[in-house]
Amino acid sequence: MAAAILDRILNTDGAKYPTDFQEIIDLMGGSNAVGPSGEDFVWRAYNFGKKAHQGQLRKSGEPYFTHCVEVATILADMKLDPVTISAALLHDVIEDTGYTHKDVEQEFSEEVATLVDGVTKLSDIKFRSEEDKQAVNFRKMLLSVADDIRVIIIKFADRLHNMRTLKHLPAVKQRRIARETRDVYAPLAHRLGMYRIKSEMEDLIFDILEPKASQELHKLIPKRQAFFEKYVQKFLEPVKEKMGDAGFEAIYKSRFKTHYSIFRKMRDQNRPFEDVFDIYAVRIVVERVEECYSVLGLIHAFYTPIQERFKDFIAQPKSNGYQSIQTTVVGPDGFPVEVQIRTKEMDDTAEEGVAAHWQYKEQDSKSSQEDIDQQVTWLRNLVDILQTEDKTTSHQFMDLLKIDLYKDEIFVYTPKGEVRILPLGATPLDFAFDVHSQVGLHCIGAKVNSRIKPLNSELESGDKVEIITSDSQKPNSSWLKFVKTSKAKSNIRKWIKGQEFEQSVRLGKDIIERELRKIKKAKEWKHLKDAYITLKFESEEKMIASIGSGHRTVSSILGKFFPEEYSKPRKEKSESYYAESFLNRARRNTKGVSIQGIDNMMISFGKCCNPIPGDPILGFITRGRGITVHHKDCDTVGTNLPEEERIIDVDWAAARSQKFLVRLKILAQERKHLVRDVTETISAYDINIDTLSMKVDGDVVTGLVIIEVEGVKQLDRLKGKLLASEGVISVERE
Ligand code: MN
């Protein structure tokens, strides 16, 4: 306490606090609003953070702590509580200084420590890839968010300030962070109704990912500004007059939409800037809900509404709490004008989303707690889905996370008239899974507005949906291609995985039994029940399944227990030898790759994805090492790029008629005529077989085929056909 007072004296020229701290208090509503204990709490956090980050610098050269102050300032502007502001000032203390969770808890409170912990990335784990790291950290953050939603509000402010100051980082890192913000943070902010943060993020993302278009808009928009201001005045003049007559008090706001959304309109409508009119909105904020409708009537009396653009989100709020009336009318000179009508509280919620609840905490604490709970339920469900997907790859995890953050929503109804909110583009199957996972899994059809519709048709707002189920119905993997919600996707995937596992177990058991008979050890299996422990499998079933699925060979398992039966050395060359020589041959057959017209550059191929002719590719320029060519879908692209690398367009320098060598690995259950059927299937496509080898291992045949195909399309058709043949388990390109 004495130290705090001393700091206060030393840090000031007569003023009570340093200016940056004073600004935080002012934004929070001034000393009166914060209260003496709140003010002192935040002040202690300020000093603690400042000391903890002493000597650390940001990439911009500024003291590190300025970042923490900025983050707190963003949140103070949103009127968050002293605990959140303090946590914001301390948000990097656990991650970047020597202090621990315990220290923060002892110095401040459990609440502050938990918030800071929630935004702290895991640091003591080694990650295989950038994507793994991203997935693990999002999972951790979302888990803490389910307990206290303020974690994500702090994280948004943190990310927003990092985006504002991104220009100090190398270009590749800028793009990576911008992409992550675009894919996860901005949609999450949208989902939580935090439009102000989302809009600023989107404009910053736009500046980095579309620099040309952004510079152009920065030049063009000010030119329209004067016209726009005059026009809005003209538009509002008669409305204001009538409003005054009727005795309504209102706040009028008008502004351009964000640069990013203007850009999207230009791109989607394929129009130049001059031809896009729908780029600003007029907002009328009134006192009471009833007045919103009176104002609406007034506007429509003056200007003709465009029917399909009218939306009443007051009667039917969006799931993120957004409430407003939206109408687009034909204004003077025939230009369309979007008008938003709402109350003050709705306006705050529309701007700050879930964060606005803290502003209304005192006035109406019960209802705002319910609102927060509702948001948290949604997040908890998301976390639940993400949790059950524990075994998914990081890539699938990020995919699932992205799906549920989809932009627009539709409102559909159950036969009983209950409303269900689904993402735009959702299908009857999504609806079925939304009702219950069992309804989804057994869904065979749907009636939309009393008419039978295919399961993959798109639902529209207002549709009444009735699901038809059958006990004998089972999901199939084609469902995954059209469902839009994480809930549906995750349930279908879980079911398929379970099925695959069951089949693998059945097949694996069969293979083991035959093999044991072959080596005359059939009776010994029961003594090997615990073999899985020695072999480090989680269970006996999983060990057996690994054989059925082809991940392990039966000899690699039984060889451990009957070494004498498997002691004969195998003379085959290693698989990697085959792979290497094949790739080299495939590449020699084309003229190589051409790089924006230039041949003969130093070229190497990414070992991570082994691209072959016909694959979509791109190149990275590496200083001093020429160009590395990767598959466009390679995980390395966009995640693991060393900073000095630059992306460049490359193409296979191949003639149209040229054929490409492809190596397929076919896994099948041993049966009569398998080889004949495989070769016949391939020949039926008029495809030459270069090499074919089959290796029988117990009951499973591993086939390696090198073929000449015209392209990826032909290959995909062939793969489908091969997969459909009897006994074929998998067909994979190597
Ligand atoms: Mn930070």
Side-chain angles (χ1 to χ4, degrees):
M1 199 55 207
I5 293 166
L6 193 63
D7 257 352
R8 227 175 275 187
I9 297 164
L10 290 176
N11 261 318
T12 50
D13 322 304
K16 197 175 168 198
Y17 294 123
T19 29
D20 56 354
F21 181 79
Q22 187 61 50
E23 197 194 341
I24 292 175
I25 295 295
D26 290 346
L27 283 169
M28 288 173 80
S31 295
N32 284 338
V34 184
S37 63
E39 189 171 320
D40 193 57
F41 198 75
V42 183
W43 175 241
R44 277 203 291 130
Y46 178 92
N47 285 299
F48 189 94
K50 191 166 195 170
K51 223 173 89 198
H53 288 291
Q54 191 103 56
Q56 293 176 352
L57 295 180
R58 297 202 90 207
K59 281 269 171 1
S60 62
E62 289 176 296
Y64 191 89
F65 189 60
T66 55
H67 163 68
C68 311
V69 171
E70 287 297 332
V71 173
T73 306
I74 292 170
L75 295 169
D77 195 20
M78 292 162 73
K79 311 279 179 284
L80 277 139
D81 59 319
V83 169
T84 313
I85 305 294
S86 304
L89 287 164
L90 300 167
H91 81 271
D92 278 328
V93 157
I94 298 181
E95 190 169 318
D96 295 332
T97 76
Y99 292 99
T100 62
H101 183 118
K102 261 248 130 59
D103 296 333
V104 179
E105 186 182 332
Q106 268 162 12
E107 196 71 31
F108 296 93
S109 66
E110 169 60 37
E111 205 181 357
V112 174
T114 310
L115 287 176
V116 174
D117 199 73
V119 294
T120 300
K121 287 200 206 101
L122 295 166
S123 58
D124 44 356
I125 299 180
K126 274 224 161 70
F127 297 101
R128 270 180 299 134
S129 69
E130 192 62 37
E131 195 169 42
D132 278 0
K133 185 170 148 192
Q134 204 187 17
V136 167
N137 278 313
F138 274 124
R139 209 190 290 256
K140 172 181 181 283
M141 182 182 75
L142 288 173
L143 279 174
S144 13
V145 169
D147 290 332
D148 193 330
I149 203 154
R150 290 175 297 178
V151 166
I152 208 162
I153 300 176
I154 298 171
K155 193 69 205 170
F156 283 143
D158 178 38
R159 179 50 66 113
L160 183 60
H161 184 250
N162 284 334
M163 287 293 296
R164 283 181 188 166
T165 50
L166 212 51
K167 57 178 181 294
H168 301 289
L169 296 182
V172 169
K173 223 172 180 174
Q174 286 185 21
R175 292 182 72 85
R176 187 172 80 208
I177 294 174
R179 270 198 304 263
E180 188 186 75
T181 311
R182 177 195 66 192
D183 291 344
V184 181
Y185 288 101
L188 251 176
H190 179 101
R191 191 63 178 71
L192 293 169
M194 300 165 72
Y195 286 98
R196 204 160 58 100
I197 287 220
K198 182 202 87 158
S199 306
E200 193 182 338
M201 277 182 181
E202 279 187 344
D203 275 348
L204 292 164
I205 294 162
F206 175 56
D207 291 344
I208 288 162
L209 295 182
E210 303 280 351
K212 251 198 199 154
S214 137
Q215 277 160 21
E216 204 180 315
L217 278 184
H218 273 287
K219 265 188 267 159
L220 289 169
I221 287 177
K223 289 183 187 159
R224 283 270 281 274
Q225 195 79 37
F227 168 81
F228 160 71
E229 273 159 22
K230 246 194 237 144
Y231 186 81
V232 168
Q233 236 176 1
K234 195 165 156 194
F235 176 85
L236 280 176
E237 210 171 347
V239 179
K240 280 183 176 171
E241 207 184 289
K242 266 271 159 18
M243 295 270 291
D245 290 349
F248 292 138
E249 296 233 4
I251 304 164
Y252 301 88
K253 300 179 179 180
S254 61
R255 63 174 166 214
F256 276 94
K257 296 192 171 164
T258 62
H259 290 188
Y260 180 61
S261 66
I262 294 173
F263 166 74
R264 260 200 325 233
K265 275 184 208 294
M266 289 165 61
R267 193 188 53 196
D268 296 348
Q269 300 169 11
N270 195 17
R271 286 178 177 190
F273 180 69
E274 304 77 55
D275 293 351
V276 182
F277 295 106
D278 200 5
I279 55 173
Y280 46 79
V282 173
R283 187 178 305 159
I284 303 177
V285 180
V286 290
E287 290 272 312
R288 291 174 298 127
V289 177
E290 311 86 80
E291 289 171 5
C292 294
Y293 293 95
S294 311
V295 173
L296 175 72
L298 231 148
I299 300 270
H300 282 183
F302 275 108
Y303 304 110
T304 314
I306 300 170
Q307 282 302 336
E308 63 271 25
R309 298 284 298 270
F310 172 75
K311 278 172 192 146
D312 183 356
F313 291 116
I314 292 181
Q316 178 61 69
K318 289 192 187 179
S319 61
N320 61 20
Y322 174 90
Q323 283 190 294
S324 182
I325 289 173
Q326 287 180 2
T327 183
T328 302
V329 296
V330 183
D333 308 317
F335 294 128
V337 180
E338 184 182 318
V339 185
Q340 303 162 346
I341 308 163
R342 51 178 86 148
T343 66
K344 174 81 178 69
E345 185 170 345
M346 292 172 190
D347 195 40
D348 288 336
T349 304
E351 297 271 300
E352 312 293 4
V354 68
H357 297 310
W358 277 269
Q359 295 180 26
Y360 292 93
K361 210 174 180 175
E362 269 143 347
Q363 287 126 302
D364 192 2
S365 65
K366 199 178 160 209
S367 81
S368 73
Q369 192 50 49
E370 275 166 19
D371 287 345
I372 295 170
D373 284 348
Q374 212 178 6
Q375 294 285 6
V376 174
T377 315
W378 163 75
L379 267 162
R380 275 211 189 100
N381 288 340
L382 177 63
V383 172
D384 275 352
I385 290 170
L386 297 172
Q387 281 293 92
T388 58
E389 293 281 327
D390 222 22
K391 290 278 145 56
T392 52
T393 65
S394 306
H395 188 71
Q396 284 168 334
F397 175 86
M398 293 309 294
D399 254 10
L400 278 171
L401 179 54
K402 284 174 202 166
I403 302 174
D404 254 11
L405 305 175
Y406 254 81
K407 41 184 199 300
D408 282 319
E409 295 174 335
I410 53 168
F411 302 97
V412 291
Y413 298 89
T414 66
K416 283 184 189 153
E418 254 175 76
V419 67
R420 298 244 163 205
I421 304 181
L422 291 172
L424 188 71
T427 64
L429 203 50
D430 289 297
F431 179 90
F433 277 102
D434 194 58
V435 172
H436 196 280
S437 60
Q438 285 305 318
V439 176
L441 292 171
H442 295 293
C443 174
I444 51 163
K447 276 187 187 168
V448 178
N449 305 326
S450 310
R451 281 206 160 129
I452 297 275
K453 279 279 177 79
L455 286 182
N456 63 354
S457 55
E458 273 189 19
L459 294 175
E460 279 171 31
S461 256
D463 281 348
K464 199 179 86 185
V465 189
E466 188 183 335
I467 296 297
I468 308 160
T469 58
S470 151
D471 284 347
S472 58
Q473 171 73 336
K474 285 174 193 160
N476 64 67
S477 55
S478 70
W479 286 9
L480 286 171
K481 290 192 187 119
F482 60 79
V483 292
K484 292 286 187 305
T485 54
S486 291
K487 196 169 178 193
K489 209 158 237 192
S490 146
N491 273 301
I492 297 166
R493 207 181 272 153
K494 212 158 55 183
W495 190 88
I496 291 174
K497 242 190 227 164
Q499 285 293 303
E500 281 172 358
F501 184 74
E502 263 176 43
Q503 282 170 15
S504 298
V505 172
R506 232 178 290 140
L507 182 59
K509 260 193 186 133
D510 199 51
I511 294 171
I512 291 180
E513 277 165 15
R514 280 163 196 247
E515 180 73 9
L516 284 169
R517 259 181 265 133
K518 207 170 93 189
I519 60 169
K520 311 219 159 43
K521 301 279 184 197
K523 282 187 186 148
E524 305 211 15
W525 181 241
K526 53 180 179 296
H527 304 303
L528 296 175
K529 282 286 176 204
D530 293 335
Y532 73 92
I533 299 168
T534 325
L535 290 166
K536 297 203 167 62
F537 282 94
E538 280 171 50
S539 66
E540 189 194 349
E541 268 202 327
K542 283 196 173 163
M543 178 180 74
I544 296 171
S546 79
I547 297 172
S549 66
H551 285 97
R552 293 286 293 263
T553 58
V554 68
S555 54
S556 78
I557 304 256
L558 293 180
K560 286 265 189 287
F561 301 96
F562 309 109
E564 68 285 5
E565 312 294 331
Y566 294 92
S567 56
K568 271 177 247 153
R570 298 187 175 226
K571 284 210 183 92
E572 293 151 85
K573 278 183 180 142
S574 72
E575 296 229 345
S576 66
Y577 170 83
Y578 281 117
E580 189 80 311
S581 69
F582 161 74
L583 287 168
N584 286 334
R585 212 146 54 83
R587 285 167 188 155
R588 263 203 308 280
N589 271 8
T590 64
K591 282 181 266 159
V593 294
S594 76
I595 288 123
Q596 287 166 358
I598 310 158
D599 279 353
N600 297 331
M601 282 193 68
M602 226 172 85
I603 291 160
S604 58
F605 293 87
K607 288 253 186 297
C608 37
C609 53
N610 277 325
I612 66 149
D615 285 339
I617 45 172
L618 45 79
F620 300 147
I621 303 177
T622 320
R623 251 170 236 161
R625 280 195 287 132
I627 291 173
T628 319
V629 176
H630 289 263
H631 193 286
K632 271 204 171 135
D633 295 336
C634 174
D635 282 346
T636 313
V637 179
T639 51
N640 268 341
L641 278 185
E643 273 154 30
E644 71 268 26
E645 292 187 333
R646 297 285 178 275
I647 296 177
I648 186 171
D649 280 324
V650 298
D651 238 322
W652 295 103
R656 280 236 167 263
S657 59
Q658 191 160 3
K659 294 196 171 176
F660 304 114
L661 283 178
V662 171
R663 183 174 184 261
L664 287 182
K665 183 176 179 183
I666 302 169
L667 217 62
Q669 208 173 340
E670 154 82 297
R671 68 169 168 87
K672 241 187 179 176
H673 302 313
L674 178 71
V675 176
R676 189 196 66 192
D677 291 353
V678 167
T679 49
E680 269 177 12
T681 307
I682 297 174
S683 306
Y685 279 90
D686 210 10
I687 292 173
N688 281 337
I689 300 177
D690 184 282
T691 314
L692 171 78
S693 73
M694 293 276 186
K695 206 166 67 184
V696 184
D697 194 347
D699 218 359
V700 175
V701 183
T702 310
L704 290 172
V705 201
I706 297 176
I707 49 176
E708 281 183 342
V709 294
E710 277 162 16
V712 180
K713 264 193 196 153
Q714 189 189 33
L715 179 64
D716 282 343
R717 281 198 298 270
L718 172 67
K719 272 164 70 181
K721 192 83 185 178
L722 284 172
L723 261 180
S725 341
E726 191 199 330
V728 174
I729 300 163
S730 70
V731 179
E732 224 87 83
R733 217 183 87 184
E734 291 259 73

